Structure formats: structure tokens, C-alpha cells
Amino acid sequence: MLRLLLITSTGVAASACSTLRYYAHVTHGELGLLAARMPVAVIIADPAADAKLRARLQQAQAARAFASDHLALPRNRSYTSYVDLGRPYVTWNVFATPEFSVDPVTHCFPFAGCVAYLGFFDRARAERAEKRFVEQGDDTAIEGAAAYSTLGWFADPILSSMLRWSDDELDGVIFHELAHQQLYVKGDTAFNESYASFVQEQGLLEWRAERGLPAPDETRHAHDEAFTRLVLDLRERLRVLFAKELPVDEMRPAKQREFVDFRLRYARLRDAGWGDDRRYDAWVAAPINNAKLVPFGLYERWVSAFARLFQDVRGQWAAFHAHVRKLALLPGAERERVLAELAARDAAPHDSVLH
């Protein structure tokens, strides 16, 4: 499935008027979430509450405790409350790219740094923002997000939209978001998301083992990774095409041919051994543009580097987080060099590159 996109409660640097409106919107949305929180413990203890809801929240609280007790993640009030949203998504994220570029239009926030989307608590507002990008000639996409994070500035609740996921997905996202609260490097999305994604994946393995459950079926995960690689390949093909700077009347049909060829490659990949897994058919069949490709790859780039680092510290979570903090303190180019070295290593798992 598509990687989850979690927006922070910050504002965008644009014109003064639009900046104030955006701040007002996200502030109102965040305050609405905070006001609607109900302690999970109260719901679990209420015999009149929906039995299925109580069971899901009880499971999530067990995972929340495991995160702090065993994964050395923050022990705070995040994910100990619940909000019934009354809508399918908490935010709608707007992505935009120039027509002949795969690089996203970025937006800079005072606490989170620059990110590749704008998030809105209201679909209509997201559509109005998208319209402005379209009027500028940009490619655009709107993606609904089931989860919302303030990176620890507030005690984030479990949302009703998150309960559509399986227990593994819900528990894993709690681990992921607590990792962001543990450490977040302003402006380095690949580092932040790869670190949190590794914590999510490894934490889930250990959480299942703690309960005597087998490791998750890797088949669907392998399909997800194969699809992501296919999309990233499309993005690189487009990058090469756009670098040619062809006339517009040549570039537009060439761009569309890349999308046609991508659909053919996807069909071959799927039919070569995916069985009845058709989760990506609708995404591939729908219109594709540059902006729809932006979310892919944000969460995976350095996961293998963090996996190697975890091996280097022999699976000790406190030591792992401490080494990640050392990485976070490095200048961006140096941090990327060390991560690349970690990702490239396939031997001497206990010979750490960090000192």
C-alpha cells in the first residue's frame, strides 16, 4: 500500500495574507483535535462503549507501553487518547510539481523545515489550494492522510481514521510517530522518515515476537517494495526526459508515453507472480502525473542503513537511538555519506562506522 503521509501542525511561508490564513486554519484544526480527545482508559473502562472499539484501543495501549518499555521510545501521553473524527481522513495533503519536473514544490515550516506538500483539515480547502497550483500550470495531486502528527509538540491522539488499519498497521504507526518524537532533523525528510520507518518495521517484528506471533508475511511487503522501485524508475526516466528541454509540443506526448510504458511494466510485474494481489491496479489505472509520484521513496531511502546500524549495536535500542542522535548532529553532506556507507556494507556487522 502507499506509505503513510503524516503532516505536522505548522505553517507555510507564502505571501503574508495566505500565511496568516493557513496558520489560522491549521491552528483551528489542531485545537479541534485537542479539544475532542477522550482518554483511552476511560473508553476501555466504560461497559457502554462499543466492544470492538474498546478491544482495538486496548491492543493499541499494549503496543504503546511496549514502545516505551522495550523500544526505548518516549514515555508521554501521545496515543493515550482517542478522537472520533466523523470523516475518513484527518488531513488532505496537496502535492505539486512543475509540468516538466519531478521535483516537488516545497513549503517551509518554522519547526519541521521544508516539506513537499501542504496539509489541510478540510477537503474543500485542499481543493482550492490545488486549483491555485493548476492555474500556475503545475501538476497536482491530493492524498488523504489517516494519521496526523505534531512531532511531540502536543499529545497526539489515536484517530478513528487510523482504526481502518489492521492491528499491525496501527501499532506500527504508533512506533513510527514516537520515533519522530524521539528525534527529528529539520529539513531532512529522507533521514527522518527512514529512521522512523526502520523503528516501525523492527519494532513490529519484536512486538509480534513478544506476543508469540510469527513474523508478518513478507509477500505483500515485497510487492510494496517492488512497486515503489517501479515508480522510482518512472520518476528517473521522467527526470532524464525533462533534462532534454524539448519543445513543449514534443515534451508533452513524450511524457505521456512514459506513463503508458510504466503501465505496461507494472502489468508484467504483477502478472509474473503476484497472484491475486491487485492492490495497485486502481492507482495505475487512474490518471498519473508528476505530482502523484512525489510520496514514493520518502520513507525508504536509508532504511537499510539504519538496519545495519541496529546490527552494529547488537539490537540494543538505547544504543541505537544514541548513535542516530550522533548522525543527526553531523552536517547534511557528512550525514548522508555515513548513511551511504552503512547502507553499502554487507559484512563485518559489528564494525561500526560511528565512534
Side-chain angles (χ1 to χ4, degrees):
M1 69 179 183
L2 296 178
R3 298 291 185 181
L4 302 171
L5 295 166
L6 310 173
I7 184 169
T8 59
S9 60
T10 49
V12 61
S15 68
C17 184
S18 61
T19 299
L20 291 175
R21 285 198 298 268
Y22 188 80
Y23 269 95
H25 170 67
V26 296
T27 299
H28 182 267
E30 174 59 30
L31 291 176
L33 287 182
L34 297 178
R37 291 177 301 182
M38 178 177 292
V40 166
V42 171
I43 299 173
I44 292 174
D46 182 2
D50 179 79
K52 185 176 180 180
L53 173 62
R54 292 168 64 196
R56 292 298 309 279
L57 293 179
Q58 193 162 19
Q59 161 79 10
Q61 292 310 280
R64 177 66 187 83
F66 181 84
S68 297
D69 294 342
H70 296 273
L71 307 182
L73 292 171
R75 190 182 303 276
N76 56 30
R77 293 189 301 112
S78 287
Y79 308 109
T80 63
S81 61
Y82 174 73
V83 172
D84 187 346
L85 290 171
R87 59 182 189 265
Y89 297 107
V90 60
T91 61
W92 285 263
N93 299 332
V94 180
F95 298 88
T97 68
E99 182 182 6
F100 301 127
S101 173
V102 293
D103 295 325
V105 176
T106 56
H107 314 277
C108 296
F109 300 78
F111 302 112
C114 297
V115 295
Y117 55 87
L118 281 176
F120 296 86
F121 287 92
D122 178 72
R123 169 97 195 192
R125 287 178 181 268
E127 290 173 347
R128 288 197 293 272
E130 180 188 37
K131 183 180 178 182
R132 290 193 291 272
F133 287 117
V134 170
E135 290 170 349
Q136 297 171 183
D138 293 331
D139 281 10
T140 63
I142 296 180
E143 301 287 350
Y148 178 93
S149 171
T150 63
L151 303 178
W153 287 93
F154 300 99
D156 294 322
I158 297 170
L159 305 172
S160 55
S161 53
M162 297 164 67
L163 298 186
R164 295 199 304 269
W165 301 331
S166 68
D167 284 343
D168 278 356
E169 289 169 327
L170 175 59
D171 298 345
V173 166
I174 291 173
F175 300 158
H176 184 110
E177 285 308 302
L178 289 173
H180 281 321
Q181 295 185 18
Q182 178 92 295
L183 180 67
Y184 189 90
V185 177
K186 184 176 177 179
D188 194 338
T189 299
F191 177 85
N192 296 326
E193 296 301 345
S194 297
Y195 163 61
S197 292
F198 171 75
V199 172
Q200 175 177 346
E201 294 171 10
Q202 181 63 31
L204 187 58
L205 285 174
E206 296 184 16
W207 174 225
R208 289 182 64 89
E210 174 77 9
R211 293 175 291 152
L213 300 176
D217 180 7
E218 286 298 308
T219 301
R220 287 167 67 89
H221 181 63
H223 294 174
D224 292 338
E225 291 189 334
F227 186 74
T228 295
R229 288 194 297 271
L230 196 69
V231 174
L232 295 179
D233 175 68
L234 168 61
R235 194 158 68 196
E236 287 310 304
R237 290 169 184 260
L238 289 170
R239 192 186 302 278
V240 170
L241 171 64
F242 298 151
K244 295 178 181 178
E245 298 184 349
L246 300 173
V248 172
D249 61 349
E250 294 181 31
M251 188 70 83
R252 281 180 178 151
K255 175 181 171 180
Q256 293 305 313
R257 284 194 295 271
E258 289 292 349
F259 296 145
V260 171
D261 291 344
F262 165 78
R263 290 186 172 97
L264 294 174
R265 291 194 298 274
Y266 165 73
R268 288 195 296 269
L269 173 69
R270 181 201 61 197
D271 296 343
W274 280 24
D276 60 356
D277 188 352
R278 296 292 188 269
R279 288 172 298 143
Y280 289 105
D281 282 10
W283 192 95
V284 173
I288 302 174
N289 62 27
N290 303 342
K292 285 193 68 173
L293 311 182
V294 170
F296 289 88
L298 291 178
Y299 286 56
E300 298 91 358
R301 183 180 180 189
W302 299 120
V303 169
S304 61
F306 288 112
R308 177 60 64 185
L309 180 58
F310 191 71
Q311 291 181 3
D312 287 348
V313 299
R314 297 174 173 83
Q316 299 299 309
W317 280 102
F320 170 74
H321 296 310
H323 278 303
V324 175
R325 288 191 192 93
K326 291 182 181 180
L327 280 174
L329 294 174
L330 296 174
E334 177 67 8
R335 180 166 59 244
E336 187 162 321
R337 182 192 65 77
V338 174
L339 288 168
E341 288 182 8
L342 284 164
R345 286 170 53 216
D346 58 5
H350 301 306
D351 182 18
S352 176
V353 299
L354 290 179
H355 304 285

